[in-house]
Amino acid sequence: MVTHVSAEERGDERGALLSFLEEQRGGIRRALLGLTEEQARSRPSASQLSLGGLLKHVAEVEQTWIARARQEPPAVRRTEANWHECFELLGDETVESQLSYWEKVAAETEGFIRSVPSLDDTCPLPNEPWFPPAERVSMRWVMLHLIRETARHAGHADVIRESLDGKTAFELVAMERGTPTD
């Protein structure tokens, strides 16, 4: 961890969960600092992942889980046939457009999580072969899942960025803050 998450107000579990999610979002956003569209779309490692693709994926995943929690359909329906498309910028999609979209998704996440009566409230998991049948999860579980998913991909983003130009997470934090790295 290269940034600090301040302690929550006593008893503000929602705030703590949202703060840790935001910290992980920051890792992905910082990995994109100063890159061209071409660099953001490139795949400099053995993986097929790009920074632009990771950005699109985490925004889409967050939107999908909050839609599930609301018991609404996700904005984009993914199947085995189109799953790969959530990991690449297509057509006129850009880093800027995906960052803007993710900002809106993040605001929706915060508004929703702050508005649910209880983090113990539940929603059903979708009827998909990779989920247990007829299982329900709490809003707390949804938030923890989003933190885990985003953190996993923030780690991928660190490796991809370092493969592109050698910049580490510490250097990117300094770059974001406008402070020297020496």
Side-chain angles (χ1 to χ4, degrees):
M1 176 179 80
V2 297
T3 59
H4 174 74
V5 177
S6 296
E8 74 277 10
E9 292 293 320
R10 187 171 178 83
D12 183 14
E13 183 181 9
R14 295 166 201 248
L17 293 168
L18 289 163
S19 292
F20 275 92
L21 178 56
E22 179 55 30
E23 179 213 15
Q24 296 306 315
R25 288 184 194 123
I28 294 172
R29 285 192 306 265
R30 279 188 298 278
L32 290 153
L33 282 175
L35 295 181
T36 66
E37 281 293 321
E38 183 179 336
Q39 288 172 311
R41 291 173 185 263
S42 69
R43 297 174 174 140
S45 67
S47 169
Q48 289 298 305
L49 296 175
S50 71
L51 290 172
L54 283 174
L55 168 63
K56 179 179 175 178
H57 175 71
V58 293
E60 190 173 299
V61 164
E62 186 171 331
Q63 189 284 325
T64 296
W65 275 104
I66 295 304
R68 285 177 179 150
R70 287 181 168 149
Q71 299 184 47
E72 299 171 356
V76 178
R77 173 88 170 108
R78 293 289 176 203
T79 66
E80 286 185 50
N82 69 357
W83 180 251
H84 66 283
E85 292 177 1
C86 78
F87 282 101
E88 58 187 305
L89 298 178
L90 301 171
D92 63 352
E93 295 174 334
T94 64
V95 168
E96 184 178 335
S97 70
Q98 291 301 304
L99 285 169
S100 177
Y101 174 67
W102 200 16
E103 189 176 318
K104 291 175 189 162
V105 169
E108 289 173 12
T109 297
E110 179 156 356
F112 175 72
I113 291 300
R114 293 228 181 255
S115 73
V116 292
S118 170
L119 290 174
D120 293 327
D121 290 354
T122 64
C123 63
L125 286 175
N127 184 19
E128 302 286 357
W130 46 87
F131 291 120
E135 186 167 319
R136 297 183 71 84
V137 295
S138 70
M139 298 303 123
R140 181 180 297 99
W141 185 98
V142 170
M143 284 300 298
L144 291 168
H145 179 74
L146 286 175
I147 293 165
R148 178 184 66 181
E149 175 81 8
T150 308
R152 180 172 185 252
H153 292 309
H156 293 141
D158 284 344
V159 171
I160 294 168
R161 179 59 188 257
E162 195 167 351
S163 296
L164 279 170
D165 64 5
K167 287 206 175 17
T168 67
F170 290 104
E171 292 170 297
L172 294 169
V173 167
M175 188 174 165
E176 178 184 52
R177 293 178 180 167
T179 58
T181 57
D182 298 339

